[in-house]
């Protein structure tokens, strides 16, 4: 039968540090192991004749518990909700520590703790597919009940262990992490969380460390005591500790990869009125109505501010720079920054303060990086933003980090079919590619198909057999991706693809490949209803990560479509 250990924080806070002294969000299995060792000595008389007579538990029984923990890392781990949700009381935030120190300088780690929510979903779960023997499981449950806290003493905890029903294993699979199988791909590594685990010999390592700090013969007290009397185990007792990676299991839904961005952050913005105006204090702000030609510039300005605020070590999914990683191994999509205006059909149930900036988080972005980006967005409140000396100045509002991008747009109206239009336009990603056979020409339709294929690269790699294309070059690969999207069995329909010309095409792109002519595109797109994309946020084209190519829904009465789903007004 499966076995689980649950940790519920009584004050809904956790404060602790990892082996490097940095604050950690969650207690690790190795920290649980240390707490159990402390309980064995303090409560059950481990290696004490008097304590064993009182508890009736032998050293061999206690050692069997530690041996089982050293040999069996958890198969699943469910972490408490790690993102702040400003619409419910279940939250995790960093807050000031409730203690006083005479020291003038206090580190950032000592000043903060992590606050959890107060629901069942906010408990920490370590789960094993196979329970230990009955005697070990019973003793482990008794030891867990005696744990007073995990981390520092200011964070009391209730830890319980019990056998669970096989049909309920794993508990809350959707929000749990599974032990990885040495997945060394970039996608697997980027979505992996590592946790320190006790390994064989860790008990003896802790015992030797304790003996070195607390010798049997007490040393003489110097002076009047004080700080010199306080001793603690060093953080170097990690020779018998291994780090094991855990990943979120992939869903069985074959269309999951068609959702490149699943989570979103929204930062509202408003224009600061000119200082020379005669407006009152209450009217010093104006509604932001950005022009189409400025969307990329505003997105670039926001992008640069986010990177500056993050500082050293910013996620490559935000910066777009992956070092020496091969282009094929890089993720198909980065963090995309789009602008939502007040006249867009955004779902009212999200309660967004339009207009503002929408940050679209890639589905394979590591969990810890998402949390760090959320903290960066929280610090943006009240900041001023502009992209040039002559542009308007925006004031950023309180960030909403709970936007479900699969529910961004309003539901489809009854009796209508949803089509999509890239706003303001879709920038072509490459030049015209010559056909190796010389029978076809590359046009606007092929460019739109390639733009869609690029955001669906993960799905495309799983769906297309490359047997007929052995070691294809880049041009052959572009034709293959375009042909797949244009095929009748493809989940996307492309109608009325054509080029779009603006006076200053450079306003609609930030960077481009040398020698690539700037060409704008537009089309009507439709998606198969089985894909579940009728309300999902998507962006295509060369500027999809910075203010361009956002697919905005356009509902059309079904009477205006023919039997194939093609608009009747298009010939």
């Amino acid at each position: 039968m499966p076995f689980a250990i649950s940790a519920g924080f009584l004050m809904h806070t956790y404060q602790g540090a990892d082996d490097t002294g940095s604050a950690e969000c969650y207690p690790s299995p190795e920290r649980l192991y240390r707490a159990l060792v402390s309980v064995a000595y303090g409560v059950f008389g481990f290696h004490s004749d008097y304590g064993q007579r009182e508890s009736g538990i032998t050293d061999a029984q206690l050692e069997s518990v530690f041996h089982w923990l050293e040999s069996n890392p958890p198969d699943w781990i469910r972490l408490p909700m790690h993102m702040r949700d400003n619409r419910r009381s279940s939250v995790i935030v960093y807050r000031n520590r409730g203690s006083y120190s005479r020291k003038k300088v206090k580190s950032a780690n000592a000043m903060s703790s992590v606050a959890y929510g107060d629901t069942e979903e906010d408990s920490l779960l370590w789960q094993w597919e196979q329970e230990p023997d009955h005697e070990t499981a019973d003793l482990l449950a008794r030891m867990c009940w005696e744990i007073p806290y995990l981390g520092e003493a200011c964070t009391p905890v209730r830890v319980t262990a019990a056998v669970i029903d096989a049909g309920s294993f794993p508990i809350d699979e959707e929000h749990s992490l599974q032990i990885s199988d040495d997945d060394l791909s970039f996608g697997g590594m980027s979505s992996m969380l590592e946790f320190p685990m006790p390994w064989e010999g860790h008990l003896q390592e802790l015992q030797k460390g304790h003996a070195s700090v607390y010798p049997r013969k007490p040393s003489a007290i110097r002076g009047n005591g004080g700080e010199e009397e306080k001793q603690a185990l060093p953080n170097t007792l990690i020779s018998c500790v291994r780090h094991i990676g855990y990943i979120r299991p992939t869903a069985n839904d074959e269309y999951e990869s068609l959702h490149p961005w699943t989570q979103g952050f929204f930062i509202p913005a408003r224009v600061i009125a000119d200082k020379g105006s005669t407006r009152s204090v209450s009217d010093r702000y104006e509604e932001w109505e950005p022009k189409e030609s400025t969307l990329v510039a505003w997105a670039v300005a926001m992008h640069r501010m986010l990177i500056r605020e993050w500082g050293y070590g910013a996620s490559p999914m935000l910066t777009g720079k992956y070092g020496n990683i091969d282009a094929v191994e890089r993720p198909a999509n980065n963090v995309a920054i789009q602008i939502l205006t007040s006249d867009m059909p955004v779902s009212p149930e999200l309660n967004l303060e339009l207009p503002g900036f929408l940050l679209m988080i890639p589905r394979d972005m590591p969990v810890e990086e998402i949390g760090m980006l959320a903290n960066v967005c929280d610090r943006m409140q009240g900041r001023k933003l502009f992209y040039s000396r002559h542009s308007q100045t925006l004031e950023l509002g309180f960030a909403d980090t709970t936007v479900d991008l699969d529910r961004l747009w309003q539901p489809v109206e009854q009796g209508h079919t949803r089509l999509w239009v890239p706003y303001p336009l879709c920038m072509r990603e490459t030049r015209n590619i010559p056909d190796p056979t010389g029978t076809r020409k590359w046009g606007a339709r092929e460019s739109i198909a390639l733009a869609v294929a690029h955001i669906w690269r993960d799905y495309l790699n799983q769906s297309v057999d490359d047997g007929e294309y052995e070691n294809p070059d880049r041009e052959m690969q572009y034709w293959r991706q375009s042909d797949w999207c244009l095929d009748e069995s493809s989940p996307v329909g492309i109608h009325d693809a054509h080029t779009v010309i603006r006076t200053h095409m450079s306003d609609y792109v930030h960077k481009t490949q040398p020698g690539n002519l700037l060409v704008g595109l537009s089309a009507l797109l439709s998606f198969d209803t089985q894909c579940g994309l009728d309300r999902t946020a998507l962006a295509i084209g060369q500027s999809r990560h910075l203010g361009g190519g956002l697919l905005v829904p356009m509902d059309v009465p079904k009477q205006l479509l023919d039997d194939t789903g093609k608009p009747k007004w298009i010939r």
Side-chain angles (χ1 to χ4, degrees):
M1 296 289 287
F3 185 74
I5 296 179
S6 173
F9 297 86
L10 301 181
M11 298 183 65
H12 316 303
T13 61
Y14 171 71
Q15 183 168 300
D18 57 18
D19 296 330
T20 64
S22 302
E24 59 183 4
C25 291
Y26 317 104
S28 65
E30 198 268 338
R31 183 177 289 279
L32 172 67
Y33 182 89
R34 292 194 181 197
L36 291 171
V37 172
S38 177
V39 167
Y41 276 94
V43 178
F44 293 92
F46 193 35
H47 288 299
S48 172
D49 295 336
Y50 176 78
Q52 289 183 15
R53 289 195 298 269
E54 290 292 320
S55 64
I57 304 299
T58 65
D59 290 346
Q61 290 175 308
L62 293 169
E63 288 176 353
S64 67
V65 172
F66 299 126
H67 177 72
W68 184 82
L69 291 172
E70 292 171 354
S71 306
N72 296 275
D75 298 303
W76 291 79
I77 297 178
R78 190 192 74 177
L79 302 175
M81 185 178 179
H82 68 279
M83 295 301 301
R84 178 186 52 78
D85 189 335
N86 51 15
R87 293 176 300 174
R88 51 172 285 195
S89 60
S90 173
V91 298
I92 289 182
V93 294
Y94 283 91
R95 68 184 190 183
N96 291 337
R97 180 178 177 179
S99 61
Y100 174 76
S101 175
R102 294 181 179 179
K103 297 181 180 180
K104 294 183 179 180
V105 180
K106 300 178 73 175
S107 65
N109 295 336
M111 288 290 291
S112 63
S113 62
V114 183
Y116 298 137
D118 55 358
T119 67
E120 286 294 329
E121 296 179 355
D122 299 303
S123 61
L124 178 61
L125 290 177
W126 297 287
Q127 305 177 61
W128 289 264
E129 189 172 359
Q130 184 61 43
E131 66 170 320
D133 60 81
H134 179 72
E135 181 180 352
T136 301
D138 181 67
L139 180 55
L140 183 55
R142 293 173 60 184
M143 295 173 67
C144 288
W145 185 256
E146 298 292 341
I147 295 177
Y149 51 83
L150 291 173
E152 299 188 12
C154 59
T155 56
V157 68
R158 178 182 291 113
V159 183
T160 59
V163 176
I164 60 178
D165 183 63
S168 303
F169 180 84
I171 300 174
D172 196 7
E173 179 178 1
E174 182 181 356
H175 301 95
S176 299
L177 301 174
Q178 183 182 21
I179 191 169
S180 65
D181 295 327
D182 298 329
D183 183 5
L184 299 181
S185 64
F186 183 84
M189 296 293 291
S190 64
S191 60
M192 183 182 299
L193 277 180
E194 287 190 349
F195 296 95
M197 303 284 175
W199 191 233
E200 296 180 2
H202 192 42
L203 176 61
Q204 290 75 17
E205 183 180 39
L206 294 177
Q207 290 171 336
K208 291 180 181 179
H210 187 275
S212 65
V213 176
Y214 298 98
R216 292 195 175 188
K217 184 178 179 180
S219 58
I221 299 177
R222 299 178 181 180
N224 59 353
E227 293 294 330
E228 296 181 359
E229 297 183 57
K230 299 180 180 179
Q231 303 181 70
L233 285 176
N235 284 330
T236 58
L237 304 177
I238 55 175
S239 298
C240 296
V241 174
R242 57 176 175 170
H243 286 74
I244 297 181
Y246 286 77
I247 59 176
R248 193 172 304 279
T250 56
N252 296 325
D253 185 5
E254 62 173 318
Y255 296 112
E256 183 193 17
S257 299
L258 294 180
H259 298 247
W261 299 277
T262 56
Q263 184 177 347
F265 301 162
F266 182 76
I267 303 177
R270 53 186 177 179
V271 177
I272 300 177
D274 296 335
K275 295 181 179 179
S277 63
T278 58
R279 296 174 181 269
S280 62
V281 177
S282 59
D283 295 334
R284 60 182 178 180
Y285 298 106
E286 301 174 352
E287 182 177 352
W288 182 35
E289 298 178 353
K291 298 180 180 179
E292 291 184 358
S293 59
T294 64
L295 296 181
V296 171
W298 282 117
V300 170
M302 172 58 71
H303 184 247
R304 290 173 175 170
M305 177 178 282
L306 290 171
I307 295 176
R308 286 197 306 269
E309 186 65 29
W310 189 313
Y312 178 77
S315 169
M317 285 192 166
L318 176 64
T319 63
K321 299 179 180 180
Y322 294 90
N324 297 326
I325 298 177
D326 188 81
V328 178
E329 293 295 328
R330 296 177 184 178
N333 302 282
N334 299 327
V335 174
I337 302 176
Q338 295 288 341
I339 287 86
L340 298 182
T341 59
S342 56
D343 56 351
M344 287 184 175
V346 177
S347 175
E349 64 188 33
L350 295 179
N351 196 26
L352 301 181
E353 299 179 17
L354 299 175
F357 294 88
L358 177 67
L359 275 62
M360 299 162 59
I361 311 301
R363 55 186 295 272
D364 50 358
M365 188 172 185
V367 177
E368 66 274 16
E369 293 183 1
I370 297 177
M372 295 179 68
L373 182 57
N375 293 334
V376 170
C377 293
D378 286 341
R379 299 196 296 267
M380 305 291 262
Q381 184 177 6
R383 297 288 185 88
K384 306 298 188 295
L385 181 68
F386 59 91
Y387 67 85
S388 73
R389 183 186 306 175
H390 304 290
S391 72
Q392 296 173 312
T393 300
L394 303 181
E395 182 177 280
L396 304 180
F398 182 71
D400 184 347
T401 58
T402 64
V403 181
D404 182 3
L405 294 186
D406 286 331
R407 296 291 184 271
L408 177 66
W409 305 111
Q410 296 178 4
V412 183
E413 297 182 22
Q414 188 175 4
H416 289 67
T417 298
R418 177 149 291 179
L419 300 179
W420 302 84
V421 180
Y423 174 80
L425 48 84
C426 169
M427 290 300 299
R428 191 177 67 176
E429 301 198 52
T430 184
R431 59 183 176 82
N432 291 338
I433 306 299
D435 182 17
T437 63
T439 59
R440 298 179 296 177
K441 290 186 178 181
W442 187 277
R445 196 160 180 259
E446 287 75 16
S447 295
I448 289 287
L450 180 64
V452 175
H454 277 182
I455 68 170
W456 287 352
R457 190 176 67 189
D458 296 337
Y459 179 83
L460 187 63
N461 292 339
Q462 300 171 8
S463 305
V464 178
D465 183 11
D466 291 334
E468 57 178 313
Y469 300 100
E470 295 184 3
N471 300 323
D473 57 16
R474 178 173 296 183
E475 293 185 354
M476 180 68 74
Q477 190 127 8
Y478 285 165
W479 272 107
R480 178 183 67 88
Q481 294 171 344
S482 177
D483 289 342
W484 177 83
C485 279
L486 295 176
D487 190 83
E488 293 182 357
S489 61
S490 169
V492 60
I494 302 175
H495 317 290
D496 193 26
H498 58 277
T499 58
V500 177
I501 299 176
R502 296 288 188 270
T503 304
H504 301 286
M505 292 301 300
S506 59
D507 292 339
Y508 297 87
V509 65
H510 178 48
K511 292 181 179 180
T512 185
Q513 296 293 333
N516 185 24
L517 181 64
L518 299 182
V519 176
L521 303 165
S522 187
L524 289 175
L525 304 179
S526 61
F527 299 111
D528 192 333
T529 56
Q530 295 182 355
C531 300
L533 298 172
D534 57 323
R535 300 178 63 185
T536 300
L538 295 171
I540 63 173
Q542 200 270 337
S543 299
R544 67 184 184 275
H545 295 135
L546 292 172
L550 178 66
L551 294 186
V552 178
M554 182 180 71
D555 292 347
V556 177
K558 293 181 178 180
Q559 294 84 347
L560 298 180
L561 304 177
D562 59 21
D563 296 337
T564 63
K566 180 180 179 180
K568 294 181 179 179
W569 65 86
I570 299 177
R571 296 181 180 180

